[in-house]
Amino acid sequence: MIVVGHRGVAGHFPENSRASILAAIELGLEWVEVDIQPTLDNVLVVCHDHTVDRCSNGSGRIDELTLKQLKELDFGNWFDTDFVGESIMTLEELLQLAQVNNLKLNLEVKIDRHDAQAVCELVTQTLNKAEVDKDNIMLSSFSADVIRHLHQLLPDYRLGVLSERLTGKVKALLREVDAFSCNLNHLWTNKKHVATLQAEGYQVWCYTVNNPRRLKHLSNLNAIFSDFPARFLL
């Protein structure tokens, strides 16, 4: 079973930060999951929330701030004073860091009011520019529109369909885009769900698993996302 660092090592480091990614590398993790979305000036940055309020000393929406404005904010001090001065990473910076360290990335594309196609075109441009190995990337989203556009724009990349629960709509989307995996909330997933999906050719990755005892009930998973990956590396 693959242990994926959720937003790096988010239990001990500021989520989605360079420090958090480096901690995952230090642990020897093969995979890390991060969230990406565009700035006002159309640069993809690594951040989960659509605002900077929770994870920085600033306020406002990511898509209403330029990269220059975002780079002036502190994305570490909110978590602990040990991380004062952490700046937001661009996807381009993350891809470079991952390539140097042979780290594989699950890039979750976040949208709310954004134009799905425009964001996916930006993802495509950024990945093509970085000349990444497609085998080291999985693209995922809760948005069916994003998944469909990524399937059209980046047909050779692995796609993970994200959902809280396994539903008929999710199964249909998996088939439509020939997805690599179905990424589900572990709280609403059981062994039967996992076995059914695997029998149809999909991997099953579950989020966010922080208690190793939970795996007694989900021992057939392909991968888990965890804020505390070291707990699963014993």
Side-chain angles (χ1 to χ4, degrees):
M1 184 185 296
I2 298 168
V3 178
V4 184
H6 185 236
R7 306 177 197 171
V9 184
H12 295 298
F13 295 83
E15 64 181 58
N16 284 320
S17 67
R18 178 178 289 271
S20 195
I21 304 302
L22 289 173
I25 293 166
E26 191 71 22
L27 273 177
L29 297 184
E30 180 185 8
W31 282 89
V32 161
E33 181 269 353
V34 299
D35 309 281
I36 59 172
Q37 58 182 301
T39 64
L40 176 62
D41 46 346
N42 290 316
V43 179
L44 288 167
V45 290
V46 183
C47 190
H48 175 271
D49 297 3
H50 291 300
T51 69
V52 299
D53 301 46
R54 179 174 64 89
C55 292
S56 83
N57 60 343
S59 64
R61 283 184 59 94
I62 296 276
D63 61 0
E64 292 179 350
L65 295 165
T66 64
L67 179 60
K68 182 176 184 294
Q69 289 172 313
L70 287 164
K71 283 288 191 181
E72 291 169 354
L73 301 178
D74 187 315
F75 279 81
N77 191 45
W78 71 275
F79 188 85
D80 192 283
T81 53
D82 288 345
F83 303 106
V84 169
E86 279 286 325
S87 67
I88 198 167
M89 271 197 302
T90 65
L91 175 56
E92 186 175 1
E93 289 167 346
L94 174 61
L95 292 171
Q96 291 171 353
L97 182 63
Q99 283 177 300
V100 169
N101 291 280
N102 199 29
L103 180 68
K104 297 178 180 178
L105 298 171
N106 172 197
L107 304 175
E108 180 185 336
V109 181
K110 307 286 290 188
I111 67 166
D112 56 357
R113 67 185 192 188
H114 309 80
D115 180 284
Q117 182 170 348
V119 174
C120 292
E121 287 173 351
L122 200 54
V123 173
T124 303
Q125 291 164 16
T126 308
L127 291 175
N128 288 343
K129 181 182 177 184
E131 297 181 345
V132 298
D133 183 343
K134 63 178 175 25
D135 293 330
N136 291 339
I137 302 287
M138 175 162 67
L139 301 168
S140 63
S141 185
F142 282 98
S143 164
D145 287 341
V146 165
I147 292 292
R148 290 187 179 103
H149 287 304
L150 290 173
H151 176 56
Q152 293 296 322
L153 292 164
L154 294 163
D156 295 330
Y157 278 76
R158 298 175 187 175
L159 290 179
V161 174
L162 268 165
S163 180
E164 284 286 326
R165 301 169 185 261
L166 182 60
T167 65
K169 282 188 176 180
V170 168
K171 289 179 181 178
L173 185 59
L174 288 166
R175 290 191 295 269
E176 180 185 340
V177 301
D178 190 24
F180 169 76
S181 68
C182 187
N183 300 0
L184 297 167
N185 187 330
H186 75 96
L187 296 173
W188 311 112
T189 305
N190 60 43
K191 281 187 175 179
K192 185 177 179 182
H193 294 142
V194 176
T196 298
L197 286 164
Q198 289 172 338
E200 293 176 6
Y202 308 110
Q203 289 202 10
V204 184
W205 296 31
C206 272
Y207 66 90
T208 303
V209 186
N210 291 330
N211 186 339
R213 285 179 292 183
R214 177 66 178 131
L215 294 185
K216 291 178 183 177
H217 307 287
L218 288 169
S219 57
N220 54 341
L221 286 172
N222 297 101
I224 59 162
F225 301 90
S226 182
D227 296 318
F228 299 93
R231 294 176 181 175
F232 300 87
L233 302 178
L234 302 176

